[in-house]
Amino acid sequence: MNIDKKDNNILIDKEETQEFDHRINIRELNIRELQDYVAEIGYPKYVGTQIFDWLHRKSVFNFENMTNLSQDMREHLIQNFVAPVISIKRKLYSNVDDTIKYLFELSDGECVEAVVMKYKYGYTLCISTQAGCKMGCKFCASSVCKFTRNLSISEMLDEIMLVEKDLNTKILNLVLMGIGEPLDNLDNVVKFLKMLPCKYGLNLGLRRVTVSTCGLVDKIYELMKYRLPVTLSISLHATTDEVRDKIMPVNKKWNIESLIKAADDYFNYTSRRVSFEYVLINELNDSPEQALELVRLLGDRVCHVNLIPLNDIKERNFKRSIPERVFAFQKILRKYEINTTVRRELGADIRAACGQLRRKEREN
Ligand code: SAH
């Protein structure tokens, strides 16, 4: 305590007045960490499994309701842990297909989006990894709204758990292609990914997960070291540095050559086929010559190219390629036996491209 002699007021040190919540987010501990933790405080390891099961399979976050735990253990959890959850703020159904878009509200009022797409073989969920994005790609709605923060492990888990619960279904495939750059939040993303296959949790195999990056080369090498069997998807979008520099600021730091080299190293190290995303923007990167350049660039690599006709964003001048140019581009890739698909446009009426709903919400 400080005593201010001048006016005899008693000033209390700031640290003494602020109540710090020392409690840890229990939903960020994996099953082994929970088992080790309970063992350390004198409980059998299976109690850690029970707690994990409540949190990750039964979606019970109130410690009082974990009825197979002793009262002592429940009390201990209340004193030492928190289990924050996010909530569904809005849900939009497409009238043109089965796409559903979710807007989630995080505990600090931030919003992020996820999109569920129904394919023949089941549901694919696209989730956000950050609130906003720092990468500044010129054609992307996520970069119109500024970056606020990384999503935590439990927030990313929640995106899946809430959708599965809401639709009463199992998500079969997961893509990290919503708002944000997953590799810019690498520590949380890796820990999140490692939790997915746990059979006491979401039980989602990593071979069914795709991580998309705009090309943070150093982080691709970092991710590689974990040897997770995820598919790496690289947002290439151009065949020359001149064009890529114009639309993706990240290219000034990591150019196309270094990115393709990282993709090769990733494939050689993990044996996982790399996939390339190529957004088709009218008269910018969609000419037949550019298709041939792409063929030359990719050579005989084991890869897949996903062509995405641009979703027009009102703040940006870029326009999507006309169907004839998309078709001609794809035809050239196919002629040279490059494995290619054109992404079907899903949920156009509900703004399914990443960041468009969050932007609208912030405008309001
Ligand atoms: N930051 C990561 C993942 C999020 S974006 C990345 O860049 O890969 C997911 C994909 O959507 C990327 O390929 C991105 O370039 C693409 N994308 C962004 N804005 C788009 C738009 N307006 N139309 C079509 N695709 C877009």
Side-chain angles (χ1 to χ4, degrees):
M1 245 181 327
N2 294 331
I3 299 180
D4 185 343
K5 293 198 178 108
K6 214 164 101 219
D7 57 11
N8 250 1
N9 277 340
I10 294 173
L11 302 174
I12 300 172
D13 280 343
K14 220 177 170 194
E15 294 94 87
E16 284 180 49
T17 55
Q18 275 179 357
E19 285 249 343
F20 286 112
D21 192 347
H22 63 282
R23 292 176 301 170
I24 295 168
N25 180 355
I26 197 166
R27 302 187 57 218
E28 313 238 313
L29 302 184
N30 63 35
I31 193 160
R32 181 156 313 151
E33 287 168 333
L34 264 174
Q35 289 167 340
D36 291 348
Y37 178 82
V38 297
E40 240 169 65
I41 58 168
Y43 288 84
K45 283 196 167 188
Y46 74 81
V47 175
T49 312
Q50 289 175 323
I51 301 171
F52 194 89
D53 185 62
W54 282 114
L55 295 168
H56 295 270
R57 196 154 55 181
K58 300 197 177 95
S59 294
V60 170
F61 305 112
N62 182 341
F63 301 126
E64 278 296 354
N65 297 340
M66 299 183 175
T67 46
N68 60 359
L69 304 183
S70 67
Q71 198 52 49
D72 275 2
M73 177 46 100
R74 287 186 236 174
E75 198 49 47
H76 180 89
L77 295 180
I78 294 168
Q79 296 300 327
N80 294 284
F81 293 97
V82 286
V85 277
I86 70 174
S87 56
I88 297 173
K89 185 168 188 186
R90 290 217 282 140
K91 186 176 165 187
L92 300 179
Y93 296 87
S94 169
N95 287 322
V96 290
D97 52 50
D98 288 323
T99 305
I100 304 173
K101 183 148 196 170
Y102 289 87
L103 185 72
F104 296 114
E105 181 162 6
L106 314 181
S107 50
D108 57 359
E110 269 298 332
C111 290
V112 291
E113 312 169 5
V115 184
V116 189
M117 293 150 292
K118 196 172 175 189
Y119 293 101
K120 286 196 286 290
Y121 45 81
Y123 286 98
T124 294
L125 175 66
C126 170
I127 62 163
S128 297
T129 54
Q130 297 182 309
C133 186
K134 292 182 222 160
M135 299 301 121
C137 297
K138 297 280 189 279
F139 49 83
C140 177
S142 295
S143 57
V144 177
C145 281
K146 289 283 167 281
F147 171 83
T148 317
R149 67 174 175 84
N150 284 330
L151 295 201
S152 67
I153 301 156
S154 70
E155 285 167 338
M156 290 184 271
L157 291 171
D158 267 346
E159 293 182 69
I160 310 170
M161 288 170 76
L162 282 174
V163 170
E164 286 197 344
K165 201 167 162 202
D166 187 55
L167 298 180
N168 191 24
T169 192
K170 182 96 193 84
I171 294 300
L172 278 194
N173 295 291
L174 181 72
V175 294
L176 275 56
M177 286 192 184
I179 299 172
E181 166 53 44
L183 301 193
D184 189 38
N185 183 13
L186 189 66
D187 291 348
N188 286 348
V189 164
V190 166
K191 198 158 179 214
F192 157 77
L193 292 173
K194 284 182 174 174
M195 282 167 87
L196 294 178
C198 180
K199 69 178 190 322
Y200 293 99
L202 284 161
N203 197 10
L204 180 68
L206 291 182
R207 288 183 181 274
R208 299 190 162 277
V209 178
T210 299
V211 176
S212 181
T213 178
C214 64
L216 298 180
V217 166
D218 53 342
K219 302 286 179 178
I220 293 176
Y221 284 100
E222 228 180 281
L223 174 69
M224 188 157 88
K225 291 201 208 114
Y226 293 100
R227 282 194 195 270
L228 303 173
V230 294
T231 300
L232 181 69
S233 174
I234 291 182
S235 297
L236 187 60
H237 306 336
T239 53
T240 60
D241 286 325
E242 197 194 343
V243 175
R244 201 165 189 265
D245 278 349
K246 276 192 204 146
I247 52 175
M248 299 180 76
V250 67
N251 198 62
K252 300 225 167 78
K253 182 151 189 207
W254 305 111
N255 66 12
I256 292 180
E257 193 187 345
S258 67
L259 184 54
I260 300 277
K261 162 98 174 49
D264 286 346
D265 290 339
Y266 190 91
F267 173 73
N268 291 330
Y269 197 75
T270 62
S271 305
R272 297 289 294 156
R273 184 182 73 162
V274 174
S275 148
F276 291 93
E277 307 285 308
Y278 196 98
V279 166
L280 287 164
I281 307 176
N282 207 39
E283 311 268 339
L284 184 91
N285 64 357
D286 66 344
S287 69
E289 296 73 39
Q290 282 160 321
L292 280 170
E293 270 169 23
L294 187 56
V295 170
R296 273 197 294 276
L297 197 60
L298 297 179
D300 53 9
R301 284 180 176 79
V302 183
C303 65
H304 177 92
V305 176
N306 198 5
L307 299 174
I308 319 168
L310 180 82
N311 284 303
D312 297 348
I313 309 293
K314 79 170 188 305
E315 289 83 354
R316 307 295 192 211
N317 288 328
F318 302 113
K319 287 274 161 273
R320 73 159 46 192
S321 297
I322 54 172
E324 292 75 29
R325 287 174 80 89
V326 174
F327 182 69
F329 201 97
Q330 183 186 28
K331 207 170 153 198
I332 293 170
L333 298 190
R334 289 228 163 122
K335 182 173 164 204
Y336 289 93
E337 293 179 357
I338 292 190
N339 202 325
T340 312
T341 42
V342 176
R343 190 183 290 171
R344 265 193 309 145
E345 189 182 21
L346 291 168
D349 54 330
I350 53 167
R351 297 182 214 95
C354 64
Q356 296 195 51
L357 191 61
R358 175 177 189 259
R359 186 202 60 192
K360 184 106 180 114
E361 194 68 23
R362 285 171 74 101
E363 279 170 7
N364 292 343

